Amino acid sequence: MAGPKERVRVAGRELNLTNLDKIIYPETGTTKADVLAYYAAVAHVLIPAAANRPATRKRWVNGVGSPGQPGEVFFQKNLEDSAPGWLPRAAITHKDRTIYYPMVNDPATLTWFGQINSLEIHVPQWQVDSHGKQLNPDRLVLDLDPGDGAGLAECAEVAFLARAILQDVGLEPVPVTSGSKGIHLYARLDGTQTSDQISDFAHELARALEADHPNLAVSDMKKTLRKGKVLVDWSQNSAAKTTIVPYSLRGRLTPTVAAPRTWQEIGSPKLEHLDYKAVLRRVKAGKDPFAAVASGAGHTGDARSLGPSGEGTDDVGAHARLERYRSMRDPDATPEPFSGTSFSGASGTGDTFVIQEHHASRLHFDFRLEHEGVLVSWALPKGVPESGGKNHLAVQTEDHPLDYATFEGTIPKGQYGAGEVTIWDHGTYELEKWINGREVIATLTGAEGGGLGGTRKFALIHTGRGQGRDTEGQWLIHLMDKDHHTFHPRRAHVEDEPAADFSPMMATSGTAADLHGSDWQFELKWDGVRALLVADEKKVRIFSRNGIDVTATYPELTDRSCWPAGPFVADGEIIAVGPSGKPDFGLLQGRMKLTRPGDVAKARADIPVRLVLFDLLSDGGEDLRRLPLVKRRQRLEQFYRPSGCPVELSPVLDERIEHILESAQELGLEGVMAKRTDSRYVSGRRTRTWIKIKLHQTQEVVVGGWRAGKGGRQSSVGSLLVGIPDGNKLRYVGRVGSGFSTRELEGLRQKVDHLARKTSPFEDVPVEDASDAHWVTPRLVGEVTFGEWTGSGKLRHPVWRGWRLDKTADEVLPEA
């Protein structure tokens, strides 16, 4: 590890390690090289304790600091844009957004953590399965936290008392000195109870300890009650809480570790927290007290060896994931394998694939990739795609045992999947990305003479569409092109679509309080529609945010003489300036729907538009998206040239964000865009490296119904009933009846009548709103302004802003 920089190969992954001589713990002189060496040495015992759990990290980018001057720390959940695609991750949907958490499933991920100074790793007590679903907790944890006047000795006393109670109910706890103040007690669970049930049990246990030993233990978190006592913190069993993973370093002044211990050690009067060197000696000697929790009963406490992929050879987790497979089959009636997770005569290699031709009730192909000790499987009703021009449906099925990779034979009539199974192709794959339940990208190399005909790269994307129980299993499989670009599931079937690979990056709603810890670039938020400009040497084309070619609608922006000669892809916003001199989204509506040359020519005089450029994705054939924003901005300024055409650069505002927001408020503008100067351009992703700060509350909505108007609007629409997609449902958020222009009202009735349906698409419309409502298929997307959200989750005083023709219903999300 010596030297300032090194390129290493860990578990088959290439990583650059930099600043290896950087001091991370000044008090002990511990360097980044020492941190990386520690995590490499304990990977085989840490990974089983963390695997398949969404990890939250605490990062000390410049080290932990010194007494009186602690280092700056970041508590980080979402993966950075710069994270390698192969890094295991879990997509967890919270109330207002989806967060992509890393999962510590292999030594390469642990090394990457160390490289970016993620010293502490925190995980919940539950895992996710290969479908991306949260499982029930598989372990219980009690955090014994000493109050003022108490210490590790008192924690140890409470630990023994808690151990006796847990043993009475059949649980054998393992203690972990936290490396901070107290002791964590873990006990392995069978996964049959929910987080709420385990939390309730842990709470009762804490109360029992408090009742029996009131001078020693307390279950209430109020600091005033904890003096001289040990808090039995049961709350970390909540599904929303995390605990530092055993064997993780601590970001304290010295490099202590959350260290699993024996009960003999806990009873010693010399008990103390351990630093990383002491833990290294224990692990080297083969001691792993936490194995009984991480891998189930039957382990001796010896550290386990790693398989070729870096995963523990224990397959308890894999066996649990095969429960559904086994429940659907009778081992006495089918020749399919039941032996578990090993190949016949060999262990899995971590990179095996098999595609089987399955002549069941109807012919389909089964696409299986080895992952986390099982074969994650999809059924392909239309077979394996043979070109990138057409995607095929893929339905995720139950995980299969690794033995299935060599299975051929006849499943008897009357059994699940009855029919002939043969191997179409098999071999190994190189993984580029795996997000459980969301996305997989892998390059498969088949056998000589196999159906693939060599090496092919595939992407599997979860669609989030469908109805009923099958929704979670519906994916698309795409054969990627020779350049290995990813694809967009709504657009990849368009054979000549040059913008498909350059879908726009999206921002996350936030406030000025979100702008900390990084350098930010500020621009005005333009009240228009997103536009991607894609040019070759002959022509310039414009694509909307959802990939629709709108070149014919804005011909004044596509004059080739207005632009540099070479090919490029640029990102910007099309706006229409109103009489007040500011962008007017309502005015722009008059241009958005026009495509016929005569209509466009007429409207150009009344509604001129401008293009505001803010990013450059490609120039002269060079993909710039991996460059940081500050360098892309330099390239954009070199690229842009004033030409008399209605194109301008979005100004970068060099002021404090508070002053910019004040000015935008005075000018009546929509808000401000804050972009991290080091942010890369991530096509098709919504990230928190771009934050949109709105001055007025707006919300995109999906129309699901309407009510007839009265008086002058009797022949049109009185109000629209609108909602926001929530999983497979449309959540009702209210009705909007004001803000419509006369032109919109004229065509509104015809628009909704065309989508008429008999039943409500909403799940919860109040009787008073539904009594005289007409229902429509939820395809139309619009935008409203509103005062606030009511306590029942409805829009208060919504006012119509206009249609969002650049959006589809499944893109609508609740604004923060």
Side-chain angles (χ1 to χ4, degrees):
M1 285 285 186
K5 184 176 181 179
E6 215 174 300
R7 184 164 180 83
V8 298
R9 187 171 182 84
V10 181
R13 303 293 181 187
E14 296 281 347
L15 293 97
N16 284 320
L17 306 181
T18 59
N19 301 316
L20 294 176
D21 53 359
K22 183 176 184 177
I23 302 295
I24 303 299
Y25 293 89
E27 193 160 305
T28 57
T30 306
T31 65
K32 180 191 276 193
D34 296 325
V35 169
L36 286 162
Y38 168 76
Y39 274 134
V42 302
H44 62 290
V45 289
L46 186 154
I47 290 169
N52 301 318
R53 303 174 195 272
T56 299
R57 297 158 289 150
K58 292 179 74 173
R59 294 178 60 191
W60 281 263
V61 176
N62 297 308
V64 299
S66 56
Q69 193 172 4
E72 188 176 14
V73 59
F74 301 93
F75 205 82
Q76 192 161 2
K77 297 181 179 182
N78 220 353
L79 265 175
E80 297 89 331
D81 296 337
S82 59
W86 51 259
L87 197 142
R89 61 198 76 192
I92 307 298
T93 300
H94 299 274
K95 289 182 180 180
D96 59 343
R97 59 186 174 130
T98 296
I99 294 178
Y100 290 84
Y101 293 85
M103 295 192 296
V104 187
N105 288 4
D106 55 70
T109 297
L110 200 52
T111 300
W112 185 76
F113 274 27
Q115 163 60 22
I116 62 172
N117 295 328
S118 291
L119 300 180
E120 290 191 8
I121 306 167
H122 297 248
V123 297
Q125 311 317 317
W126 46 267
Q127 298 180 315
V128 295
D129 66 11
S130 60
H131 297 247
K133 294 173 62 177
Q134 177 180 325
L135 301 174
N136 282 339
D138 58 353
R139 62 195 190 201
L140 171 148
V141 65
L142 295 174
D143 180 5
L144 308 181
D145 187 9
D148 291 341
L152 203 54
E154 288 77 14
C155 290
E157 188 176 352
V158 174
F160 277 102
L161 296 171
R163 181 193 189 193
I165 297 175
L166 290 168
Q167 287 178 325
D168 285 344
V169 296
L171 299 177
E172 184 57 58
V174 172
V176 175
T177 47
S178 71
S180 176
K181 292 189 296 181
I183 294 174
H184 297 158
L185 286 186
Y186 287 90
R188 183 175 175 84
L189 304 173
D190 61 9
T192 59
Q193 294 178 293
T194 66
S195 294
D196 287 343
Q197 290 172 318
I198 299 303
S199 290
D200 290 344
F201 168 76
H203 197 180
E204 287 303 315
L205 189 155
R207 285 172 174 163
L209 287 169
E210 180 180 36
D212 293 343
H213 308 278
N215 295 322
L216 180 61
V218 62
S219 64
D220 194 306
M221 301 201 184
K222 294 187 182 71
K223 286 192 175 182
T224 54
L225 302 176
R226 295 166 56 181
K227 190 171 183 179
K229 300 179 183 180
V230 175
L231 170 67
V232 183
D233 185 356
W234 50 271
S235 69
Q236 293 187 42
N237 295 284
S238 165
K241 293 292 188 70
T242 60
T243 310
I244 193 164
V245 74
Y247 296 106
S248 171
L249 285 164
R250 281 289 196 174
R252 302 181 68 79
L253 293 178
T254 60
T256 54
V257 172
R261 312 296 289 271
T262 66
W263 281 105
Q264 184 178 0
E265 290 176 298
I266 295 299
S268 170
K270 297 181 180 180
L271 178 67
E272 61 182 359
H273 293 287
L274 300 181
D275 69 5
Y276 82 103
K277 291 181 179 179
V279 173
L280 278 175
R281 291 193 293 269
R282 294 162 64 89
V283 171
K284 187 176 181 179
K287 294 180 180 179
D288 179 19
F290 201 73
V293 175
S295 304
H299 284 267
T300 62
D302 293 338
R304 289 160 300 135
S305 62
L306 290 176
S309 66
E311 299 176 355
T313 56
D314 175 78
D315 54 17
V316 170
H319 275 285
R321 292 194 291 275
L322 293 174
E323 288 180 1
R324 186 180 174 204
Y325 170 89
R326 294 184 176 120
S327 70
M328 300 165 71
R329 293 164 175 83
D330 181 354
D332 296 326
T334 175
E336 295 169 281
F338 276 79
S339 60
T341 59
S342 297
F343 295 113
S344 300
S347 298
T349 60
D351 61 355
T352 295
F353 85 87
V354 64
I355 302 174
Q356 287 155 321
E357 190 172 331
H358 192 168
H359 292 263
S361 55
R362 62 178 63 183
L363 173 64
H364 67 274
F365 286 73
D366 293 313
F367 187 97
R368 312 189 197 280
L369 301 176
E370 180 185 354
H371 187 63
E372 297 169 359
V374 297
L375 291 175
V376 182
S377 302
W378 291 264
L380 310 181
K382 299 292 186 182
V384 181
E386 297 178 356
S387 73
K390 186 176 183 181
N391 303 321
H392 285 187
L393 175 67
V395 179
Q396 189 169 11
T397 60
E398 71 278 8
D399 295 335
H400 282 50
L402 295 184
D403 290 29
Y404 222 99
T406 58
F407 174 67
E408 290 186 296
T410 301
I411 303 173
K413 188 175 182 180
Q415 298 301 306
Y416 176 77
E420 188 75 19
V421 177
T422 59
I423 293 177
W424 187 75
D425 205 346
H426 67 96
T428 60
Y429 73 89
E430 182 178 349
L431 181 64
E432 181 172 316
K433 180 184 289 188
W434 192 301
I435 306 176
N436 282 4
R438 294 295 180 99
E439 182 179 5
V440 177
I441 300 177
T443 301
L444 280 57
T445 300
E448 186 175 351
L452 289 178
T455 298
R456 296 287 184 271
K457 187 170 185 177
F458 293 95
L460 286 144
I461 300 289
H462 187 257
T463 64
R465 298 175 181 173
Q467 295 181 345
R469 292 183 303 171
D470 293 334
T471 302
E472 68 181 32
Q474 290 197 11
W475 298 57
L476 292 176
I477 183 169
H478 172 72
L479 177 63
M480 301 181 76
D481 63 29
K482 62 183 179 181
D483 292 323
H484 291 179
H485 291 306
T486 56
F487 77 108
H488 193 297
R490 290 192 305 275
R491 299 199 298 272
H493 65 280
V494 183
E495 295 182 359
D496 62 344
E497 179 64 272
D501 297 333
F502 289 93
S503 52
M505 177 174 170
M506 293 164 285
T508 300
S509 293
T511 67
D514 294 315
L515 310 180
H516 55 81
S518 301
D519 291 328
W520 296 85
Q521 172 181 302
F522 302 116
E523 304 170 47
L524 292 176
K525 188 177 187 306
W526 302 101
D527 196 8
V529 293
R530 195 74 172 269
L532 279 181
L533 284 88
V534 181
D536 56 22
E537 289 78 0
K538 296 181 179 179
K539 61 183 178 181
V540 177
R541 300 167 68 190
I542 305 176
F543 294 88
S544 69
R545 173 181 151 166
N546 54 0
I548 297 173
D549 191 332
V550 294
T551 306
T553 304
Y554 308 106
E556 61 265 58
L557 304 177
T558 59
D559 185 338
R560 197 63 186 86
S561 64
C562 295
W563 299 95
F568 67 85
V569 179
D571 193 358
E573 190 100 351
I574 297 174
I575 62 172
V577 179
S580 62
K582 64 181 182 180
D584 187 331
F585 184 73
L587 181 63
L588 185 61
Q589 298 278 302
R591 285 290 300 272
M592 288 171 61
K593 295 177 285 186
L594 305 180
T595 57
R596 288 188 286 190
D599 295 337
V600 172
K602 183 178 179 182
R604 282 181 64 174
D606 299 327
I607 312 173
V609 297
R610 299 191 63 80
L611 174 68
V612 183
L613 287 176
F614 49 73
D615 218 320
L616 189 62
L617 284 60
S618 175
D619 186 20
E622 179 187 359
D623 193 336
L624 308 179
R625 288 176 293 179
R626 294 189 64 82
L627 295 178
L629 173 64
V630 64
K631 291 188 177 180
R632 296 200 311 277
R633 178 70 192 198
Q634 292 173 357
R635 293 289 295 267
L636 178 63
E637 291 175 353
Q638 295 167 4
F639 165 87
Y640 170 73
R641 63 184 187 201
S643 60
C645 298
V647 179
E648 58 193 77
L649 287 185
S650 177
V652 174
L653 308 175
D654 189 18
E655 294 184 58
R656 291 178 51 134
I657 182 60
E658 295 81 4
H659 297 159
I660 298 172
L661 288 170
E662 288 176 7
S663 298
Q665 181 83 50
E666 292 174 3
L667 295 171
L669 300 176
E670 189 182 7
V672 174
M673 289 293 303
K675 302 175 183 179
R676 262 179 38 183
T677 56
D678 63 349
S679 63
R680 296 179 178 180
Y681 194 100
V682 187
S683 288
R685 286 267 301 276
R686 186 181 300 277
T687 79
R688 292 195 65 80
T689 60
W690 286 14
I691 302 288
K692 53 184 176 182
I693 306 173
K694 292 186 176 182
L695 295 170
H696 308 285
Q697 294 208 71
T698 64
Q699 175 63 55
E700 293 166 2
V701 291
V702 179
V703 178
W706 61 280
R707 300 175 72 184
K710 298 179 181 178
R713 291 169 64 172
Q714 190 168 8
S715 61
S716 183
V717 174
S719 62
L720 294 176
L721 278 61
V722 297
I724 298 174
D726 184 6
N728 302 322
K729 301 174 181 178
L730 187 64
R731 178 169 63 88
Y732 181 70
V733 296
R735 50 192 175 91
V736 54
S738 61
F740 296 100
S741 67
T742 302
R743 177 182 294 178
E744 283 174 325
L745 286 173
E746 289 174 355
L748 189 52
R749 180 63 179 271
Q750 183 178 357
K751 187 185 293 284
V752 293
D753 281 346
H754 180 67
L755 295 173
R757 58 183 274 175
K758 293 182 179 180
T759 58
S760 170
F762 300 107
E763 59 172 335
D764 52 357
V765 184
V767 175
E768 59 271 23
D769 287 354
S771 60
D772 60 348
H774 305 268
W775 308 117
V776 301
T777 300
R779 294 179 186 169
L780 301 173
V781 177
E783 186 170 294
V784 300
T785 59
F786 64 104
E788 61 181 352
W789 289 102
T790 68
S792 60
K794 304 296 187 297
L795 299 166
R796 191 184 301 281
H797 308 310
V799 177
W800 187 255
R801 288 194 76 225
W803 296 107
R804 294 306 311 231
L805 302 179
D806 57 334
K807 304 283 180 74
T808 58
D810 59 355
E811 292 180 296
V812 174
L813 298 170
E815 296 284 352

